[in-house]
Amino acid sequence: MVAKDMLCKRRIVAMWYQKVFSFIFFIYASFYFSETVGYEYEMKTFNVLLDHFSFALQQDTFPLRYAINDSYWKGNGGPIFFYTGNEGMIELFIENTGFMWEVAPDFDALIVFAEHRYYGKSLPFGNESFASPDKAGYLTSLQAIADFVDLIEFLKSNIRGAEKSPVIAMGGSYGGMLSAWFKIKYPHVIAGAIASSAPIWQFIGMNPCNTFAKTVTSDFTRESPECSNSIRHSWKAIDNVTATDEGKKWLSASWRLCENITDDNGGVYSLKNWLSEIYSDLAMMNFPYAAKFHHALPAYPIKVLCSYLNDSILPDRQLLESMFRAVSVYFNYTGDAECLNLDSSALYPDLGTDGWDYQTCTEVVQDMCQDGVDDMFVPYKFDFQGYSDSCYNQWGVRPSRTEGITLYGGRDISTASNIVFTNGLLDPWSGLGVLENVSETAVAFVMPDTPHHLDLRASNPADPASVRQVRQHLRHYMSRWIAEHKAASS
Amino acid sequence: MVAKDMLCKRRIVAMWYQKVFSFIFFIYASFYFSETVGYEYEMKTFNVLLDHFSFALQQDTFPLRYAINDSYWKGNGGPIFFYTGNEGMIELFIENTGFMWEVAPDFDALIVFAEHRYYGKSLPFGNESFASPDKAGYLTSLQAIADFVDLIEFLKSNIRGAEKSPVIAMGGSYGGMLSAWFKIKYPHVIAGAIASSAPIWQFIGMNPCNTFAKTVTSDFTRESPECSNSIRHSWKAIDNVTATDEGKKWLSASWRLCENITDDNGGVYSLKNWLSEIYSDLAMMNFPYAAKFHHALPAYPIKVLCSYLNDSILPDRQLLESMFRAVSVYFNYTGDAECLNLDSSALYPDLGTDGWDYQTCTEVVQDMCQDGVDDMFVPYKFDFQGYSDSCYNQWGVRPSRTEGITLYGGRDISTASNIVFTNGLLDPWSGLGVLENVSETAVAFVMPDTPHHLDLRASNPADPASVRQVRQHLRHYMSRWIAEHKAASS
């Protein structure tokens, strides 16, 4: 099955971009699960239609999970804060959206976190949910949003005092995309939406294909040009050193690889892929405070990593020795790691990949590339046909080139209303998001010195001023939307 | 199968409202086919997805018909006028939307009429399209709109000079609902929408249930109170007279019924149903000019009919004799009819009922009622459960109480942009439509003295001033939308 393996490999290259998008939540989550005492909520289920957009499967429903907290709710038409769950267990987002918990008391808000269909325990066909295209096919963003619409309708009809409540949707990353799209497609259902670090303009043809790679690179160059140059030169150094069996052995030993690089095991490829992934992860997670996830990280980890990379024109082996010390910040900051495992699934053992992998094979396809010149990565061109073949091979579906734009409008969202888009400019996804106001009431705020949706997280003394300010803006808009809603419905 | 028959009968009572909504086009059409020389166009097909909103059926497509005329098109980014076809053969709407043909030359417009899925020849499964719920289930308004979206994308990509063309959607009645919903759900795809006589607010719970019946009644009262009173009294007169066998014979003979009323054939019920239908039809078709459809009609047919009903307190038989002379205006204006056939399908032999009947059993359900006091009809209460059971019995689906409002926003469409709603206030559907501006750019015009979407038809010397004025407004808005689009895309 050479053809199949080659196809899979081709797609894996294309997909580490999409993967990091998903991974980040799991990393956050494991950090939070270990660090926080946790929020209190009741977990419930609500039966949703498998297919909201035909009558062919009218009888088919499944239980969607949602968490609810009414500690602050006074039952008199106060707002509902509704988290539009993204690609994972809803618990992850409950624990990672401290902003929502922090502001709820000031608004007497009911707190709801809804799980996204086909993730967590909201699986329409249980373990068989991805077994065939006719089962997996109802995993789409719009079907998920329609679940949220019906859940909101149900809550408003069944919770005393909620009938006329304004609902504010919020989410980060893909969850932020869902919040924004929710307001765009169902403007009458929610009063406003907060879309944090939501790359809604990531679809094919919308950006220079190296936008993501360039931002990651600039996050490293910002610490020192020698840092990104060292990484840029390292790929060739890896090739040079691993050209001989002795070199492979040397690198495997120096880097303490769990599995030695050989001619047969694709180790060079895995190493480069692993490195690319962690650089992107760090660019998203370059937090101003130390965070312990699977591998503990210091505050501003890129700065720490770059402190080891101050000479990019070292001889190959010396450069790679520096590189190893540098990336040890990522995988072995505490010094506990026995060896370096290049299997990226080992990086994120909690990741349930099926759902997101399927979504990157249907709606969420980016045409990302790297050229090694304007960015520091191994040159790579996006090949839609190869990507599509691989998807078909795996899931029996082919990605749509245009669906995301056709459905949600691409850049032409001038009719959007009551959305706040927030982006940290250090976040590589920010270049694919909304950085300027798109209409009078769909506005954008940028945080120059901030990574991936820091603003939605619980406040921290180390938060930059820009994040604190954006949280004030969010409160302001939430107040305004609630007031507007009350004026309109009174 | 008594139960089944009773269920069917119950739904038939509820559904004559929905039926007249559909019938009217066929009546128009047959008029036009006989009266006009016809417009020139090329008929083509475009393959659309059976299901736009899941990936389960990604391979399933079918050819959707559309008509295109480029006589006025200059290939330099001029507008595309796009008729959002409604519940019937697209030819019917091509012939009945003279306004679009009349204005196209002034705008150098490309003319496109798209057929609605599951109507005309755009049948996904041919003659089997309604054979089972899994086949019929993809007949929804949103799937139809998604067909239009993809067709427009295809046309813009494949017609030289159309890439940046503004598209203006237009439609009348259900076609107008589709135009408005198109702009609401896909605001980025079209520059503007004209929704003529589009009762988008007809869903359950949105209006007093006798809104339709009251407008029909007032159309008759307007000619003379004795006219509507005669009709109001006639139901009891029919009951009184047909209480005896002799009375049944008398009425059958006096009214020249094709089939005599007996105890067993439900003739009294059929007669009342037939009368209710024609009064509603006349309220929609009360044109200012004579029209020949299946049965020729004079100009202002209600006025003519009412001229026979000037004494509502006549004895029963005399009243019914007057009634017969009056309704002869409808079924036998020319005097050619040999007998009066109460089978409503005989009224509209060209009607393909499956599609619309299915839609009234899924999305398009109105909770219409009559009380015989504020209106002139036989009292009737809408029974959702009975209606639903009948639908399930016939199509294997149950109607949704809320889908139309949930999906399109009900009255809460303040974010809608660039839509013109037009309504004739004599049209009984107008009370279920948009009569006031809903936003700065989604505006409404009413024509006090006009029936069902007269404004979209070809101009006629007898058109009231209000219709001529509305057509000027439409031209104005079309110009504005085109200018806005060009400004935004340049």
Side-chain angles (χ1 to χ4, degrees):
Chain A
M1 298 291 282
V2 174
K4 174 179 169 175
D5 287 343
M6 280 190 58
L7 282 175
C8 282
K9 192 166 281 185
R10 199 178 312 165
R11 189 155 67 86
I12 285 165
V13 178
M15 282 176 60
W16 65 260
Y17 285 112
Q18 282 103 334
K19 279 188 179 162
V20 290
F21 187 52
S22 178
F23 286 175
I24 197 66
F25 281 109
F26 292 86
I27 294 164
Y28 278 171
S30 48
F31 162 51
Y32 258 81
F33 277 142
S34 60
E35 297 283 310
T36 66
V37 291
Y39 301 106
E40 284 181 12
Y41 50 84
E42 197 177 349
M43 192 65 82
K44 299 190 171 186
T45 62
F46 169 68
N47 279 346
V48 293
L49 289 168
L50 177 63
D51 184 6
H52 292 273
F53 303 107
S54 88
F55 290 91
L57 306 172
Q58 195 177 33
Q59 311 300 323
D60 296 0
T61 63
F62 67 94
L64 192 87
R65 286 202 310 159
Y66 67 99
I68 188 162
N69 171 304
D70 61 1
S71 309
Y72 315 115
W73 171 251
K74 298 212 161 40
N76 55 358
I80 299 171
F81 292 170
F82 189 94
Y83 190 91
T84 51
N86 17 353
E87 69 282 25
M89 300 272 281
I90 193 61
E91 286 87 347
L92 311 185
F93 310 105
I94 293 170
E95 297 294 336
N96 284 281
T97 313
F99 171 76
M100 194 156 131
W101 294 95
E102 288 178 3
V103 296
D106 297 341
F107 287 94
D108 301 340
L110 186 69
I111 295 174
V112 178
F113 283 81
E115 192 161 70
H116 191 298
R117 56 167 53 202
Y118 288 84
Y119 291 98
K121 295 183 179 171
S122 297
L123 302 173
F125 302 97
N127 291 339
E128 295 294 302
S129 294
F130 295 94
S132 57
D134 65 311
K135 288 194 166 65
Y138 302 93
L139 168 51
T140 77
S141 55
L142 195 66
Q143 297 274 7
I145 292 168
D147 292 338
F148 301 155
V149 168
D150 286 354
L151 173 55
I152 287 170
E153 208 164 87
F154 167 78
L155 294 173
K156 292 179 81 161
S157 307
N158 287 278
I159 293 175
R160 190 191 299 269
E163 199 181 333
K164 291 186 170 183
S165 285
V167 180
I168 296 178
M170 51 186 101
S173 201
Y174 172 55
M177 293 160 67
L178 292 172
S179 281
W181 289 338
F182 191 163
K183 190 74 183 88
I184 287 170
K185 295 307 266 189
Y186 293 86
H188 51 289
V189 175
I190 53 179
I194 293 171
S196 174
S197 295
I200 62 168
W201 291 345
Q202 70 181 280
F203 296 106
I204 292 179
M206 296 195 74
N207 304 282
C209 61
N210 63 350
T211 303
F212 186 98
K214 276 177 75 174
T215 306
V216 176
T217 303
S218 75
D219 286 351
F220 286 76
T221 304
R222 184 170 167 269
E223 296 303 339
S224 87
E226 284 305 282
C227 183
S228 53
N229 275 332
S230 296
I231 294 170
R232 191 181 273 111
H233 295 167
S234 69
W235 313 114
K236 182 73 179 150
I238 292 170
D239 286 341
N240 291 341
V241 167
T242 58
T244 65
D245 286 346
E246 183 276 330
K248 289 189 190 78
K249 271 186 200 154
W250 175 85
L251 185 60
S252 302
S254 306
W255 282 50
R256 294 168 47 202
L257 300 183
C258 297
E259 186 184 6
N260 279 1
I261 295 173
T262 68
D263 283 339
D264 305 325
N265 69 356
V268 171
Y269 167 83
S270 297
L271 176 62
K272 291 179 179 174
N273 203 37
W274 183 85
L275 287 167
S276 295
E277 276 195 34
I278 71 163
Y279 300 142
S280 300
D281 279 0
L282 285 167
M284 285 190 272
M285 295 183 296
N286 195 29
F287 296 140
Y289 43 86
K292 175 176 174 292
F293 38 93
H294 288 110
H295 312 279
L297 272 193
Y300 297 114
I302 293 179
K303 187 190 290 289
V304 181
L305 182 146
C306 285
S307 69
Y308 296 96
L309 299 176
N310 43 30
D311 183 356
S312 66
I313 54 167
L314 287 173
D316 289 343
R317 294 200 181 196
Q318 276 178 264
L319 179 62
L320 293 183
E321 281 167 344
S322 300
M323 291 291 303
F324 178 67
R325 283 191 292 276
V327 300
S328 294
V329 170
Y330 185 89
F331 91 97
N332 195 20
Y333 178 55
T334 58
D336 295 339
E338 291 184 4
C339 61
L340 170 52
N341 188 341
L342 298 179
D343 179 357
S344 67
S345 67
L347 267 179
Y348 318 109
D350 295 341
L351 184 59
T353 55
D354 279 349
W356 192 249
D357 196 67
Y358 181 86
Q359 287 196 265
T360 63
C361 271
T362 48
E363 290 180 300
V364 189
V365 186
Q366 308 110 357
D367 53 346
M368 287 195 178
C369 68
Q370 306 154 183
D371 63 12
V373 179
D374 289 330
D375 58 67
M376 64 187 189
F377 291 95
V378 178
Y380 164 74
K381 282 194 175 142
F382 179 74
D383 162 27
F384 184 83
Q385 191 54 51
Y387 188 88
S388 173
D389 290 345
S390 164
C391 287
Y392 189 75
N393 195 52
Q394 185 170 3
W395 299 111
V397 290
R398 293 191 178 276
S400 167
R401 276 184 182 277
T402 55
E403 179 63 11
I405 298 174
T406 299
L407 195 55
Y408 299 116
R411 283 185 205 280
D412 188 1
I413 52 170
S414 61
T415 58
S417 62
N418 288 11
I419 306 175
V420 177
F421 295 97
T422 63
N423 278 284
L425 295 187
L426 300 185
D427 177 10
W429 293 108
S430 65
L432 315 176
V434 180
L435 304 182
E436 293 181 359
N437 298 355
V438 290
S439 76
E440 221 164 286
T441 65
V443 300
F445 294 104
V446 294
M447 297 161 284
D449 45 1
T450 306
H452 203 50
H453 59 65
L454 189 56
D455 50 319
L456 279 197
R457 298 170 63 79
S459 53
N460 184 293
D463 284 330
S466 65
V467 169
R468 291 198 295 271
Q469 198 174 33
V470 157
R471 291 196 186 117
Q472 286 307 313
H473 289 314
L474 294 180
R475 281 172 179 267
H476 163 78
Y477 275 92
M478 292 162 81
S479 297
R480 183 195 284 192
W481 297 335
I482 291 165
E484 276 176 15
H485 177 90
K486 294 205 166 160
S489 60
S490 64
Chain B
M1 298 291 283
V2 175
K4 175 179 170 175
D5 287 342
M6 279 190 60
L7 283 174
C8 282
K9 193 166 281 185
R10 198 178 313 164
R11 188 155 66 86
I12 286 166
V13 177
M15 281 176 62
W16 65 260
Y17 285 113
Q18 283 103 334
K19 279 186 178 162
V20 289
F21 187 50
S22 178
F23 286 174
I24 197 67
F25 280 108
F26 292 85
I27 295 163
Y28 278 171
S30 49
F31 161 50
Y32 258 80
F33 277 142
S34 61
E35 296 284 310
T36 66
V37 292
Y39 300 106
E40 284 181 13
Y41 50 83
E42 197 177 348
M43 192 64 83
K44 299 189 172 187
T45 63
F46 169 68
N47 278 347
V48 294
L49 289 167
L50 177 63
D51 184 7
H52 292 273
F53 303 107
S54 88
F55 289 91
L57 306 172
Q58 196 178 31
Q59 312 300 325
D60 296 359
T61 64
F62 68 93
L64 192 88
R65 287 202 309 159
Y66 67 100
I68 189 162
N69 172 304
D70 61 2
S71 310
Y72 315 115
W73 171 250
K74 297 212 163 37
N76 55 357
I80 299 171
F81 292 169
F82 189 94
Y83 190 91
T84 51
N86 16 356
E87 70 282 26
M89 300 272 280
I90 193 60
E91 286 87 347
L92 310 186
F93 310 106
I94 293 171
E95 298 294 336
N96 283 282
T97 314
F99 171 75
M100 195 156 130
W101 294 95
E102 287 179 3
V103 297
D106 296 341
F107 287 94
D108 300 339
L110 187 69
I111 295 174
V112 178
F113 283 82
E115 191 161 72
H116 191 298
R117 58 167 52 201
Y118 288 84
Y119 291 99
K121 295 182 178 171
S122 297
L123 302 173
F125 302 97
N127 291 338
E128 295 294 302
S129 295
F130 296 94
S132 57
D134 65 312
K135 289 194 166 67
Y138 303 93
L139 168 52
T140 76
S141 55
L142 195 66
Q143 298 273 6
I145 291 167
D147 292 338
F148 300 155
V149 169
D150 286 355
L151 173 56
I152 286 171
E153 209 163 85
F154 167 78
L155 294 172
K156 292 179 82 162
S157 307
N158 287 278
I159 293 176
R160 190 192 299 270
E163 200 181 330
K164 292 186 170 182
S165 285
V167 179
I168 296 178
M170 53 185 100
S173 199
Y174 173 54
M177 293 160 65
L178 292 171
S179 282
W181 289 339
F182 191 162
K183 190 74 184 88
I184 287 170
K185 295 307 267 190
Y186 293 87
H188 52 289
V189 175
I190 53 178
I194 293 171
S196 174
S197 295
I200 63 168
W201 291 344
Q202 71 179 280
F203 297 106
I204 292 178
M206 296 195 74
N207 304 282
C209 62
N210 64 349
T211 302
F212 185 99
K214 276 177 74 175
T215 306
V216 176
T217 303
S218 74
D219 286 350
F220 286 76
T221 305
R222 184 171 166 268
E223 295 304 337
S224 86
E226 283 304 283
C227 183
S228 53
N229 275 333
S230 296
I231 294 170
R232 190 180 274 111
H233 295 167
S234 69
W235 314 113
K236 182 74 181 150
I238 292 170
D239 287 340
N240 290 343
V241 167
T242 58
T244 65
D245 286 345
E246 183 276 330
K248 288 190 189 78
K249 272 185 200 155
W250 176 85
L251 186 60
S252 302
S254 306
W255 282 51
R256 293 168 47 200
L257 300 183
C258 297
E259 186 183 6
N260 279 1
I261 295 173
T262 69
D263 282 339
D264 305 324
N265 69 357
V268 171
Y269 168 82
S270 297
L271 176 62
K272 290 179 180 176
N273 203 39
W274 182 86
L275 286 168
S276 295
E277 275 195 35
I278 70 162
Y279 299 143
S280 300
D281 278 359
L282 285 168
M284 287 191 270
M285 296 184 293
N286 196 29
F287 297 141
Y289 41 87
K292 174 176 175 293
F293 37 95
H294 288 109
H295 312 278
L297 273 192
Y300 297 116
I302 292 179
K303 186 189 291 289
V304 181
L305 182 147
C306 285
S307 69
Y308 296 96
L309 298 175
N310 42 29
D311 184 357
S312 65
I313 53 168
L314 286 174
D316 290 340
R317 295 199 180 197
Q318 276 178 265
L319 179 62
L320 293 181
E321 280 168 342
S322 299
M323 291 291 303
F324 178 67
R325 283 191 292 275
V327 301
S328 295
V329 170
Y330 185 88
F331 91 96
N332 195 21
Y333 179 54
T334 58
D336 295 340
E338 291 183 5
C339 61
L340 170 52
N341 187 340
L342 298 179
D343 179 356
S344 66
S345 66
L347 266 179
Y348 319 110
D350 296 341
L351 184 59
T353 55
D354 280 349
W356 191 248
D357 196 67
Y358 181 86
Q359 287 196 265
T360 62
C361 271
T362 49
E363 291 180 300
V364 190
V365 187
Q366 307 110 356
D367 53 346
M368 288 195 179
C369 69
Q370 306 154 183
D371 64 11
V373 179
D374 289 329
D375 58 68
M376 64 188 190
F377 291 96
V378 179
Y380 164 73
K381 281 194 174 143
F382 180 73
D383 162 25
F384 184 82
Q385 191 55 50
Y387 188 87
S388 173
D389 291 344
S390 164
C391 287
Y392 189 76
N393 195 53
Q394 183 168 3
W395 299 112
V397 290
R398 291 191 179 276
S400 167
R401 275 184 183 276
T402 55
E403 179 64 11
I405 297 174
T406 299
L407 194 56
Y408 299 116
R411 283 185 205 282
D412 188 2
I413 53 170
S414 60
T415 58
S417 62
N418 289 11
I419 305 175
V420 177
F421 296 96
T422 63
N423 278 286
L425 295 187
L426 299 186
D427 177 10
W429 293 108
S430 65
L432 316 176
V434 180
L435 303 182
E436 293 181 0
N437 298 355
V438 290
S439 76
E440 222 164 286
T441 65
V443 300
F445 294 103
V446 294
M447 298 161 283
D449 45 0
T450 307
H452 203 49
H453 60 66
L454 189 56
D455 50 320
L456 280 197
R457 299 170 63 80
S459 53
N460 185 294
D463 285 330
S466 66
V467 169
R468 291 198 295 271
Q469 197 174 33
V470 157
R471 291 195 186 116
Q472 286 308 313
H473 290 314
L474 294 179
R475 282 172 179 266
H476 163 78
Y477 276 91
M478 292 163 81
S479 297
R480 181 195 285 191
W481 296 335
I482 291 166
E484 276 177 13
H485 177 89
K486 295 205 165 161
S489 60
S490 64

